[in-house]
Amino acid sequence: MTVLIVDDAAFVRTVLRNMLQQMGHTVVGEAFNGHDAIKKAKELKPDVITMDIVMPSMDGIEAVKEILKELPNTYILMCTAMGQKRMVIQAIMAGAKDFIVKPFSQERLEEALMKSKRHLDLI
């Protein structure tokens, strides 16, 4: 499965990249904000995007809306901090398929990616 990682924190991107690669997934790119995510999603067309919610310039919710306009089958997995329930609901309403809470475990990430594989197998 190909994955685009979107988070404004380089440390989080590195942790996610390492986890994803250990699970056998291919990280095709990284983005640091919503604008960068839209550009790279269009260019790379990943199967899955891990998307932070709170980022400078453009947040993850707005990026989800824009990406899904052009790439409606992309599976977007929101990565959020505790206490952002309202924002997670907004992201799901915008089209995100699942979420994981920071700090996340490899097991929870793997569980979410198994859901994405089932989703992708249906399309």
Side-chain angles (χ1 to χ4, degrees), residues 18-62:
N18 291 339
M19 285 183 178
L20 289 162
Q21 289 174 336
Q22 286 174 6
M23 288 185 263
H25 302 293
T26 303
V27 177
V28 293
E30 296 181 10
F32 57 90
N33 66 34
H35 292 293
D36 195 32
I38 293 165
K39 178 178 163 241
K40 289 188 175 165
K42 289 178 184 177
E43 175 187 320
L44 301 169
K45 296 179 177 48
D47 298 318
V48 176
I49 299 174
T50 64
M51 180 78 69
D52 188 15
I53 293 181
V54 179
M55 296 180 287
S57 180
M58 177 189 275
D59 68 29
I61 297 167
E62 290 305 312

Side-chain angles (χ1 to χ4, degrees), residues 19 23 100-111:
M19 285 183 178
M23 288 185 263
I100 55 176
V101 177
K102 298 176 189 176
F104 34 80
S105 67
Q106 188 158 338
E107 294 78 26
R108 176 62 185 109
L109 179 60
E110 199 158 8
E111 176 188 317

Side-chain angles (χ1 to χ4, degrees), residues 65-78:
K65 292 175 186 174
E66 292 301 313
I67 290 168
L68 292 177
K69 282 180 188 175
E70 293 199 34
L71 301 167
N73 294 326
T74 305
Y75 192 95
I76 301 179
L77 173 64
M78 302 307 290

Side-chain angles (χ1 to χ4, degrees), residues 83-109:
Q84 294 181 329
K85 183 178 179 180
R86 183 181 60 77
M87 294 176 112
V88 169
I89 292 168
Q90 288 177 333
I92 299 295
M93 289 174 63
K97 301 292 188 227
D98 200 355
F99 69 96
I100 55 176
V101 177
K102 298 176 189 176
F104 34 80
S105 67
Q106 188 158 338
E107 294 78 26
R108 176 62 185 109
L109 179 60

